[in-house]
Amino acid sequence: MRIGELARRAGVSTRALRYYEQQGLLSARRSSNGYREYDEADLKLVAEIRSLLTVGFTLEDARPFVNCLRAGNESGNACPESVEVYRRKLAEIDEQIRTLFGRRAEVAAQLAEACPGCALRTGGTR
């Protein structure tokens, strides 16, 4: 399939596909007229990349998952390198949560000082 079809089927732009190629995550074959050609395996790679990006992984984080798929595994998370990325990402998220709780406590303390009778709301915005 050509780049436009892959983009349509994967739900991404052709520009994104070219960028993934530039970053070494996707490899296009070239037809005799120079058009990029892809197959179903490439669709699976793009789906894996997109699902990882959606939950906050970077393209560099996606590399072990892509390599795992390219090695013939059914899933991008079947390799130890992918599991290590998951572990690292969870540690990063945990640290971000701790940081946010600390910031929230500081802002709550500032609010309590600025407005002693104000009730603190929890759980969302209105």
Side-chain angles (χ1 to χ4, degrees):
M1 78 187 90
R2 294 202 345 219
I3 192 168
E5 182 180 352
L6 178 61
R8 181 183 53 75
R9 290 181 61 194
V12 299
S13 67
T14 56
R15 184 176 178 180
L17 295 176
R18 286 187 204 96
Y19 185 68
Y20 299 162
E21 186 178 344
Q22 179 185 13
Q23 296 304 306
L25 295 171
L26 196 59
S27 299
R29 285 137 323 272
R30 296 289 181 154
S31 63
S32 60
N33 59 7
Y35 290 147
R36 288 175 170 87
E37 292 287 336
Y38 301 94
D39 57 29
E40 292 299 317
D42 295 313
L43 182 60
K44 190 170 184 173
L45 291 177
V46 175
E48 184 82 8
I49 294 166
R50 296 302 301 164
S51 70
L52 292 165
L53 292 176
T54 298
V55 296
F57 287 83
T58 66
L59 284 178
E60 195 55 39
D61 292 334
R63 194 170 304 282
F65 296 86
V66 168
N67 291 340
C68 192
L69 285 171
R70 282 186 178 147
N73 293 288
E74 187 63 29
S75 172
N77 60 14
C79 297
E81 296 83 2
S82 302
V83 172
E84 186 53 40
V85 172
Y86 278 140
R87 287 187 176 129
R88 183 181 48 75
K89 192 62 169 180
L90 277 176
E92 287 175 13
I93 291 169
D94 287 343
E95 180 57 33
Q96 291 170 343
I97 290 169
R98 283 189 292 278
T99 299
L100 286 173
F101 272 128
R103 287 181 186 166
R104 186 191 186 288
E106 182 62 33
V107 171
Q110 291 174 0
L111 174 61
E113 184 180 315
C115 183
C118 294
L120 292 177
R121 293 186 189 161
T122 60
T125 59
R126 294 185 185 220

